[in-house]
Amino acid sequence: MAGFTREHPDDAHRLPLDDHARAREALTQLHQTAQDCQAKVITSERPYVGDIAHAVAEDLPGQWDVSIEHYPDGAIPAHLLDWVWEASPALSTLDKSRTPGAAILRDGGGTELLLVERPRDSQYLIGTLLPSPDHLNVVGAGPRTVVATTAREAAADVRSLLLPEFEQLVHLARLREVQEDLDWVHGVEPGTVDAVELDGALDRFLTHAPYLLATTRRADIKPLAASETAVLIRFEILLARAPADTGARSEPAAGSTDEALALWLEAGEDLLDVVRTATVRPAGEPARPAITSVTPPKPPAAVAAGRTR
C-alpha cells in the first residue's frame, strides 16, 4: 500500500507510510476510533474512490466540484441510478452489485458525472447524469460510459469522448425543443394560443438561445454567410437586452417581452436553420462543440414540468 488516505469534507489528506512511527500512531488511533464507533476497518490496495474522482476532476477542463457518497449497505440508491443517462447499461445495472460508494463531479454549468468502481473487475466507470428537466428534457440514449483502469485514462476519455458526446446530444435536444415549440405555436389557430403555454414556450427559447448562439459561433463546419450572421446578431442584441434571471423576468421591462415574442415568431425558424447549417453535419451528426473552461452566463429560467434532482 502506497499510503493511508483519509477523505475530509474540504480536501483529501495523505499520510506517507515511509514514516513508520507516524503511520503506526495514526493507524492505532484509527483502530481505536473504529472500535469506539463499532465499525470495522478493512485495508485495501485499491485507491479510494474519492482520490480517483479528485484526480479525474483536476485533469478536466474548467473547475469541477467533487462530492463523495458512501453506501454502508453496499447499495447505490435507485433514485441516483434513475438519473444516469447512457447508451449502454454499464452504470444503471450497478444495483445488482455491491457498491460501497460513488463520486459525483459537477462543473457548475449543468454537467454532472457519476464515477464508481465496478466490483467485478475494479474498472472505473464514468457516465453522465440527465440534465435537469427544469432546463432541458432529453430523450433517447445518452453518451457512452467511460470504462478505464486508471484516473489518467478515465480523464483522457472523458475529455475526448464523453464530454463532447454529451454536449452534442444536449445541443440536439435544445434544437428539438425549440423546434417543437415553434411548430406548435405556428400550427394553432390565431387567437387560440393559451397565454401561459405561450409564455412557457418563449421562456424555454430564451433559456436555450444563448447556448445555441454560442455553439454556432464556435462551430467549424463552414463559414457563415452575411445573411446568416445577420440573423445571429439580431438575436444576440435581443438577448443582451433580456433580463438575466427569473426575478427580473417576473417584472419585465416595458415592451421587452413583446419584442422577444415578435422576433421569436418572425425569425425563430431562420435562427434554427442557421444553427443547423453551422453545427449539424450533412449526415445528421452534429459538429463537436469545443470543450472550454468558460461557464456560460446563467440564462433565464425555463418553465418545464417534471422532476428535479
PDB file of all heavy atoms in Angstrom, residues 116 233 304:
ATOM      1  N   VAL A 116     -17.922   5.519 -10.425  1.00  0.00           N
ATOM      2  CA  VAL A 116     -17.934   4.396  -9.483  1.00  0.00           C
ATOM      3  C   VAL A 116     -16.853   3.408  -9.899  1.00  0.00           C
ATOM      4  O   VAL A 116     -16.364   3.430 -11.036  1.00  0.00           O
ATOM      5  CB  VAL A 116     -19.306   3.673  -9.448  1.00  0.00           C
ATOM      6  CG1 VAL A 116     -20.409   4.625  -9.028  1.00  0.00           C
ATOM      7  CG2 VAL A 116     -19.625   3.056 -10.804  1.00  0.00           C
ATOM      8  N   ILE A 233     -26.924  38.083 -35.132  1.00  0.00           N
ATOM      9  CA  ILE A 233     -26.766  39.390 -34.487  1.00  0.00           C
ATOM     10  C   ILE A 233     -28.101  39.898 -33.960  1.00  0.00           C
ATOM     11  O   ILE A 233     -28.174  40.462 -32.855  1.00  0.00           O
ATOM     12  CB  ILE A 233     -26.136  40.398 -35.466  1.00  0.00           C
ATOM     13  CG1 ILE A 233     -24.682  40.010 -35.750  1.00  0.00           C
ATOM     14  CG2 ILE A 233     -26.206  41.815 -34.915  1.00  0.00           C
ATOM     15  CD1 ILE A 233     -24.013  40.856 -36.823  1.00  0.00           C
ATOM     16  N   ALA A 304     -40.797  24.267 -17.199  1.00  0.00           N
ATOM     17  CA  ALA A 304     -40.919  22.912 -17.684  1.00  0.00           C
ATOM     18  C   ALA A 304     -41.423  22.020 -16.572  1.00  0.00           C
ATOM     19  O   ALA A 304     -41.047  22.173 -15.420  1.00  0.00           O
ATOM     20  CB  ALA A 304     -39.556  22.383 -18.174  1.00  0.00           C
TER      21      ALA A 304
END
